[in-house]
Amino acid sequence: MSVSKKEYKRVTVKSLVDMKQQGEKISMLTAYDYSMAKIVDAAKVDVILVGDSASNVMAGHETTLPITLDQMIYHASSVIRAVNRALVVVDLPFGSYQSDPKEALRSAIRIMKESGAHAVKLEGGVEIKESVKRILNAGIPVMGHLGLTPQSIYKFGTYTVRAKEEEEAEKLLEDAKMLEKIGCFSIVLEKIPAALTKKVSESISIPTIGIGGGRYADGQVLVIHDLLGMTHEFNPRFLRRYMNLYEEMSDAISRYVSDVKSLDFPSKEEQN
C-alpha cells in the first residue's frame, strides 16, 4: 500500500517522528564531503549521516576507532555547506563520550558549534545514559544506536548479527525504551534479527532506522560508497547496490590514461 508523502522543505527531528506516525519510511545515507552531500541532498534523502565510517571509506582504516573529533568536525562542516533540505546527524567518535558525561557534552557542543550540524549520534544503551542525558539537557538532539555498535568491535570480536539470544534481545529492547524515555529522537538498529527490529519499532514512538535489521524499521540507512558500488569488496547480505561505480570509474580512468599516452587527449578541439 502506497503512502502519500508530505513534502518537507527542511527535514527536522520532528519531521522524522511525523513520518513514523504517518507510516512514511525514512531514507538515510552517509556523506562525508561537499560534492557527495550536494548530490545526496538534491535527491531528497531525509537524513544525511556524517558517519564515523569515514574512518573506513575515506581514510582506509580497518575500524571506525581511529577517526578523531577534529576529523569528524571537518567532514561535517563540508557536508553542512552542501545541504539545503536534509537533517544532518554527526557521529560522536570513539573516545569522545564514553567515559565522562562532561566530555561527551563538550564533544557534542564542538560538533554543533564548529560544523553547524543538526544532531549527534552515540552508540550504546544504559552504559552511556548519563552522557546522552547531559547532551540532551543542553538542547542538542541525539540519535541512538543499538545492536552491532562498530566502536565496540573489539569487545564483540565479530561483525555478525547481534541480539539473536533472548538475553541480549531483551537488553536491546530495554535500552531502546530507555533512550526514548530520556529524549532521543530516533535510534539506529544495526545487524539484528528482523523480528526484533519489528518488536522494538512497535514498542517505541520514536523512529527506528535499520541497517541490516530488516524491513520493519521505520527507515533505512546505507553507506553511500556501498550503495554506489565503490567498495566492491564489501558484500553483506543487507546491502543492495544501485550502481557498480568501481568498475565504471576504473574503466573511465584507464581510458584517460590510454588517451594521454597515445596523445589522443587533449585533442585540437580541447586546447586553447
Side-chain angles (χ1 to χ4, degrees):
M1 183 179 71
S2 62
V3 177
S4 60
K5 296 191 298 182
K6 176 181 176 181
E7 284 295 324
Y8 294 93
K9 290 184 178 180
R10 190 88 203 205
V11 179
T12 66
V13 295
K14 183 181 182 302
S15 305
L16 302 189
V17 176
D18 290 344
M19 289 179 191
K20 172 163 182 159
Q21 292 175 345
Q22 296 159 8
E24 178 182 346
K25 295 294 186 180
I26 298 162
S27 61
M28 179 168 159
L29 282 174
T30 64
Y32 317 98
D33 64 82
Y34 176 88
S35 298
M36 188 70 81
K38 195 83 172 174
I39 297 168
V40 172
D41 188 58
K44 295 189 175 181
V45 168
D46 299 313
V47 184
I48 293 178
L49 173 65
V50 185
D52 57 5
S53 47
S55 180
N56 309 116
V57 298
M58 301 298 286
H61 293 297
E62 183 181 3
T63 72
T64 62
L65 274 64
I67 199 164
T68 67
L69 183 60
D70 286 341
Q71 289 167 336
M72 289 302 301
I73 290 170
Y74 167 78
H75 286 294
S77 301
S78 302
V79 167
I80 280 289
R81 286 191 283 271
V83 170
N84 293 312
R85 178 184 178 274
L87 178 76
V88 178
V89 180
V90 182
D91 271 335
L92 282 182
F94 176 74
S96 68
Y97 64 92
Q98 288 94 339
S99 61
D100 180 1
K102 291 182 180 179
E103 183 181 14
L105 177 58
R106 286 193 294 269
S107 300
I109 287 174
R110 280 199 62 199
I111 283 177
M112 300 296 283
K113 285 179 70 70
E114 296 179 36
S115 76
H118 308 136
V120 296
K121 180 168 76 65
L122 287 73
E123 293 182 6
V126 67
E127 304 85 1
I128 60 160
K129 179 179 179 180
E130 294 308 314
S131 291
V132 173
K133 286 174 66 176
R134 185 68 66 103
I135 295 169
L136 287 167
N137 286 342
I140 299 172
V142 174
M143 175 180 280
H145 185 144
L146 299 172
L148 176 66
T149 47
Q151 290 179 11
S152 302
I153 188 56
Y154 290 126
K155 174 184 174 183
F156 295 144
T158 175
Y159 285 101
T160 56
V161 176
R162 303 302 309 172
K164 291 189 288 186
E165 303 300 327
E166 184 176 353
E167 183 178 354
E168 188 178 351
E170 283 302 314
K171 182 185 183 305
L172 188 147
L173 178 58
E174 291 306 310
D175 281 341
K177 291 178 179 178
M178 180 274 295
L179 291 173
E180 175 190 28
K181 184 176 181 180
I182 64 176
C184 290
F185 70 89
S186 179
I187 302 172
V188 169
L189 300 176
E190 181 167 359
K191 291 194 82 170
I192 66 172
L196 180 57
T197 296
K198 185 174 190 292
K199 186 174 183 179
V200 173
S201 300
E202 292 174 350
S203 299
I204 59 177
S205 61
I206 60 174
T208 58
I209 309 293
I211 177 165
R215 65 190 308 169
Y216 300 110
D218 301 302
Q220 299 292 331
V221 59
L222 286 175
V223 171
I224 188 70
H225 292 66
D226 299 338
L227 176 148
L228 295 176
M230 297 172 73
T231 50
H232 67 294
E233 70 281 357
F234 182 61
N235 294 294
R237 178 188 295 183
F238 65 80
L239 173 59
R240 179 181 296 182
R241 297 196 192 282
Y242 286 82
M243 293 187 72
N244 189 347
L245 271 188
Y246 179 84
E247 288 189 4
E248 293 188 34
M249 291 173 69
S250 296
D251 178 64
I253 294 167
S254 294
R255 286 190 287 112
Y256 163 76
V257 172
S258 177
D259 288 349
V260 170
K261 298 289 187 182
S262 66
L263 306 182
D264 182 72
F265 177 79
S267 65
K268 289 183 179 180
E269 291 76 19
E270 293 166 324
Q271 62 187 12
N272 295 319

